[in-house]
Amino acid sequence: MGLGISGDVDGSSVRPAIGLPVSSSSVGSIRKRQGGFAALVLAVLATSNLFIPNFTGSIFTEPTALSLGVATIIAGHAWISDKGYIGGPHLLIFLVALTFLPGLLAAAPHHYGQSKTIGLALTLLIVLVTTQIVGRWSLNPAFLTALAVFGFVVAVELLTIGETSTFDGRASVLGLNPIDLGRMASLGALLCALMAYWGRGWWRGLLLVMAAVSAFAATTTGSRGPLISAGVAIVFALLVSRRIASPATRVVGVSGLIAGVYLLFRGEGLDSSNRIFSQDSSGRDSLWSESLDIALTTPGGVGFGGLYGHVTLTPGAAVTGYTQYSHNILLETAVEGGWIALAGILVVLAISFRYLLQESNTQTGALLLTVWTFAFINALSSSDLVGNRLLWVMVAVGLGLELRRTRGDRTPTGHLTTTLRPTRQRWSDQSP
């Protein structure tokens, strides 16, 4: 089951140029395979910067470059197939790009600012490409399945080959950032737990085990943000999503989450677990306070990559040099891009969230909305505008759903399918 428009055919037979009849079921099967491949590419694009290292250092083997290149080809084919259709989501992305211009011009040229400018351009390309792909194909459940599998694999790696000699006892794999690995393990726990809600029999049991393993592995990274984000996202799914409507389910789910967190962390043996419940904010409190002051007093922004010269240089800041950012996507945008850029970000976030909320009465829609929430809460405490790629991909998913709807409205053979289904569907029952 997809989201939005079911396809470009109306159920009748389709005849190619050579005159041989092709059944609509055959065309549908091909489109499902295409959609599944595109979904897998988007899953890699959304998370590759968190857990896939570039061993050779070459751009030709860099996971982001490879996945973005393939996704761009798929999106270009989709756009040509749509006869160059330009919809509201396309224009919105263009307007957001315009709101970034003042911030790009405000800072004096330096290496970090230049690399961040390139990163922002690539981020907008990722949003555009993802929007076009989702606008052409209904987002295959392979996207969510891949994210869950990636998260669980990272969790297993943390527990089996994780290194704890660095990062103050925080587990890492191949020297990668523990925060990023914590995000992946927490994402795996989040998706496996929610998929278990729709599962049954041994499949549900397996998903619950995977969720528990992923959640425990996430604690070894000593990162609170991803764990908090996963917990809040689950509570959000239970309380807000129209797909999970039972009051009893909400009460049991929230209570179980609270009890699980308490049981998981009441031990004092792991340094990483102790850090999770410590008062250490890694300097974020002062950084957020200073960033807010700068944002209020500098409405035009200090320029993307220009925070370094406007904050108190702590020992950590002195080491990292110019690569300073607010560790909060909204504060960062306001400080570096100015109020205009902040307005652009808020508008695109609100519109994307609205479109996903409209789809939350379906199983896939509820999961997508939950991942969107998880990514957004993470972006409020860690990484920068460029690094929070999962959020940008999820924003584009919301825009793609609207593009799919508007494209169907203008296409004679396209038609909208209702997603209002009062009966529960299980994850294992759902077809692409």
Side-chain angles (χ1 to χ4, degrees):
M1 180 182 67
L3 298 177
I5 302 168
S6 60
D8 290 330
V9 294
D10 57 3
S12 59
S13 296
V14 180
R15 292 182 179 272
I18 59 176
L20 296 177
V22 179
S23 67
S24 60
S25 60
S26 175
V27 174
S29 178
I30 294 174
R31 289 184 60 81
K32 284 183 180 180
R33 289 197 295 270
Q34 291 175 338
F37 176 72
L40 181 59
V41 171
L42 290 183
V44 174
L45 182 61
T47 57
S48 60
N49 65 320
L50 299 178
F51 74 106
I52 305 179
N54 182 11
F55 293 103
T56 66
S58 169
I59 189 174
F60 298 105
T61 57
E62 208 281 321
T64 295
L66 290 174
S67 56
L68 180 57
V70 174
T72 301
I73 294 173
I74 296 174
H77 167 71
W79 191 65
I80 293 173
S81 299
D82 288 339
K83 298 179 174 59
Y85 173 61
I86 301 295
H90 293 118
L91 298 178
L92 179 62
I93 296 170
F94 176 72
L95 291 176
V96 171
L98 290 181
T99 65
F100 284 172
L101 288 180
L104 295 175
L105 301 175
H110 58 79
H111 178 70
Y112 178 51
Q114 293 172 352
S115 63
K116 196 165 189 177
T117 299
I118 296 174
L120 287 172
L122 290 176
T123 297
L124 289 172
L125 176 60
I126 289 172
V127 174
L128 181 62
V129 164
T130 304
T131 299
Q132 187 63 50
I133 291 176
V134 177
R136 178 66 178 175
W137 290 280
S138 59
L139 193 59
N140 194 291
F143 175 75
L144 292 164
T145 302
L147 292 181
V149 171
F150 293 165
F152 178 70
V153 169
V154 169
V156 172
E157 290 178 342
L158 283 168
L159 295 177
T160 56
I161 62 174
E163 309 159 355
T164 57
S165 58
T166 57
F167 300 109
D168 298 326
R170 302 169 67 180
S172 175
V173 177
L174 299 175
L176 294 171
N177 191 332
I179 299 177
D180 293 341
L181 298 178
R183 284 191 181 192
M184 288 303 304
S186 298
L187 178 61
L190 167 68
L191 286 174
C192 288
L194 288 179
M195 288 177 183
Y197 173 79
W198 286 287
R200 55 187 174 187
W202 68 269
W203 180 238
R204 169 178 286 183
L206 176 62
L207 286 170
L208 288 174
V209 171
M210 292 173 64
V213 170
S214 299
F216 178 76
T219 68
T220 66
T221 65
S223 298
R224 283 167 295 204
L227 288 166
I228 294 173
S229 300
V232 173
I234 289 179
V235 172
F236 176 82
L238 294 173
L239 297 179
V240 178
S241 173
R242 290 177 291 164
R243 185 63 184 87
I244 309 175
S246 170
T249 299
R250 296 175 180 179
V251 173
V252 172
V254 174
S255 301
L257 174 65
I258 295 173
V261 169
Y262 171 76
L263 293 174
L264 188 61
F265 295 116
R266 68 177 181 177
E268 298 294 334
L270 294 175
D271 291 339
S272 56
S273 296
N274 291 337
R275 184 185 182 280
I276 289 174
F277 286 95
S278 71
Q279 299 299 314
D280 177 24
S281 65
S282 300
R284 281 175 172 76
D285 291 345
S286 60
L287 183 61
W288 289 338
S289 177
E290 289 191 69
S291 295
L292 181 59
D293 291 339
I294 297 170
L296 294 176
T297 57
T298 315
V302 300
F304 288 112
L307 181 62
Y308 177 80
H310 297 81
V311 294
T312 302
L313 293 181
T314 63
V319 171
T320 54
Y322 276 103
T323 57
Q324 289 298 300
Y325 50 88
S326 299
H327 286 78
N328 180 298
I329 192 172
L330 299 182
L331 280 176
E332 178 186 359
T333 304
V335 169
E336 301 185 18
W339 294 1
I340 294 178
L342 177 62
I345 289 287
L346 290 175
V347 167
V348 74
L349 286 173
I351 291 177
S352 172
F353 179 83
R354 175 175 173 266
Y355 292 145
L356 281 173
L357 186 62
Q358 292 174 346
E359 296 288 345
S360 64
N361 55 297
T362 68
Q363 175 184 306
T364 301
L367 287 169
L368 290 173
L369 183 64
T370 306
V371 175
W372 190 104
T373 305
F374 169 81
F376 175 67
I377 298 173
N378 267 299
L380 296 180
S381 62
S382 185
S383 197
D384 63 358
L385 275 167
V386 177
N388 280 295
R389 191 185 304 160
L390 177 61
L391 174 61
W392 286 112
V393 169
M394 295 311 301
V395 166
V397 168
L399 298 182
L401 295 178
E402 175 62 9
L403 178 64
R404 188 169 178 78
R405 185 189 68 80
T406 57
R407 184 177 66 86
D409 287 346
R410 77 169 185 89
T411 306
T413 57
H415 59 282
L416 295 174
T417 58
T418 178
T419 55
L420 297 176
R421 299 190 177 187
T423 57
R424 271 183 46 177
Q425 280 192 311
R426 299 180 184 274
W427 177 262
S428 55
D429 293 338
Q430 184 171 356
S431 62

